[in-house]
Amino acid sequence: MTHTRTTRLERGRSALGPALELVHTGQAPTRAVLTAELGVTRATAGAVAGELEALGLITVDAHPTAPVGSQGRPSHRLSVDPDGPVALAAQVHADGYRAALVGLGGNLVATAPGCGTVDADPAQVISEVVRTGAGLLRESGRRCVGAGLAVPSAVAEPEGTALNPLHLAWQAGAPVRDTFRACLAEAGVTHPDGSPVTGFAANDLNVAALAEHRHGAGRGARHLLVVGTGHHGVGGALVLDGRLHTGSSGLAMEVGHLTVDPGGRPCHCGSRGCLDVETDPAALLAAAGREA
């Protein structure tokens, strides 16, 4: 590497993370767009893109072509490396779990469902889903750079505990993050150098909102409101100015426990007529005269 190239890369090294995020979320499809978004010179953007390509994170086309009818110099196209690293994604819900490998760009690499019931011991089901994910990693041969666990409960920070797993037989305050990290270590989910992969835990609707904001219906929006339901219950999440809003204790968007019918069905939270039990799939099936 020449001294000039080295100098450019050193100037742009702090831009490696932002540059990868721009490509990862589809906001920088070309090097010209990357240059403009980062506010750097073309040479620096080229050095940054080259470094990300050398790390196996993105691909840069070697022979850029301009669309028919366009003017100006064609720009190199950028895309995530389809054979790049993955994150292990795990979800636990009332009727089981799912493990998946997700690559840059939000691309689903592999997925596997498992079990029909969730044990009352969080460590049991978290261990099962991690072992399933570890199996996917072995089969794929892909490099794992992180892991995330989604649970149907608000997760307190910085403790990493499940505050209200109402649709599971778990006790409130279950240490889901620490359990998840211990299970990752036990299953041998590590970086290539053997160092432990960091595991995160969060509310399932919160991580769904982040995914929608980065790759789905909310891409490009400053603010996003998500209200969703899975097998049981109703949850909500809010993205403000591109950041997840969880409040001081992680309970900011527990919309499922807004009372919509004071004389309605009894709720797991101890109240009656909550959105959680009046409008979830089980309630809609009951209203239609069908068994859940």
Side-chain angles (χ1 to χ4, degrees):
M1 184 182 291
T2 65
H3 174 71
T4 301
R5 167 90 183 235
T6 301
T7 303
R8 289 170 183 163
L9 182 55
E10 289 302 325
R11 286 201 303 265
R13 191 169 295 279
S14 62
L16 286 173
L20 180 60
E21 182 174 356
L22 288 167
V23 180
H24 166 63
T25 55
Q27 298 177 72
T30 67
R31 206 168 75 181
V33 176
L34 182 67
T35 302
E37 290 291 332
L38 293 177
V40 298
T41 65
R42 285 194 307 180
T44 297
V48 169
E51 179 72 1
L52 292 175
E53 184 176 36
L55 291 170
L57 300 174
I58 72 170
T59 61
V60 183
D61 68 340
H63 305 288
T65 56
V68 176
S70 65
Q71 297 181 348
R73 184 178 179 181
S75 181
H76 295 269
R77 296 199 64 79
L78 310 176
S79 58
V80 297
D81 190 329
D83 298 318
V86 297
L88 191 162
Q91 180 187 15
V92 175
H93 53 76
D95 297 322
Y97 65 73
R98 180 174 294 275
L101 304 182
V102 184
L104 286 165
N107 297 317
L108 191 64
V109 174
T111 183
C115 83
T117 58
V118 174
D119 196 276
D121 179 10
Q124 179 65 32
V125 69
I126 292 174
S127 177
E128 287 183 25
V129 70
V130 168
R131 286 200 300 270
T132 300
L136 294 176
L137 283 169
R138 287 192 297 271
E139 293 170 9
S140 70
R142 301 288 280 270
R143 173 165 58 104
C144 183
V145 293
L149 172 67
V151 294
S153 165
V155 176
E157 289 298 340
E159 299 88 353
T161 55
L163 294 175
N164 58 343
L166 300 177
H167 295 286
L168 304 175
W170 297 356
Q171 290 188 347
V176 290
R177 186 190 60 203
D178 290 347
T179 301
F180 185 50
R181 290 179 176 177
C183 291
L184 289 169
E186 183 181 350
V189 179
T190 63
H191 293 288
D193 63 3
S195 60
V197 164
T198 301
F200 299 90
N203 172 262
D204 50 8
L205 257 294
N206 280 344
V207 291
L210 287 177
E212 286 293 344
H213 186 258
R214 293 172 181 173
H215 305 290
R219 190 164 69 174
R222 289 181 59 202
H223 314 306
L224 177 67
L225 170 66
V226 173
V227 177
T229 182
H231 296 238
H232 299 281
V234 176
L238 184 64
V239 176
L240 294 176
D241 285 323
R243 297 177 65 86
L244 191 64
H245 176 67
T246 58
S248 59
S249 60
L251 293 166
M253 283 301 295
E254 285 294 297
V255 297
H257 299 289
L258 295 174
T259 300
V260 293
D261 181 2
R265 293 179 174 85
C267 183
H268 310 278
C269 71
S271 185
R272 298 187 72 90
C274 292
L275 196 67
D276 199 68
V277 291
E278 293 292 334
T279 62
D280 74 346
L284 295 179
L285 285 167
R290 303 286 295 275
E291 288 191 17

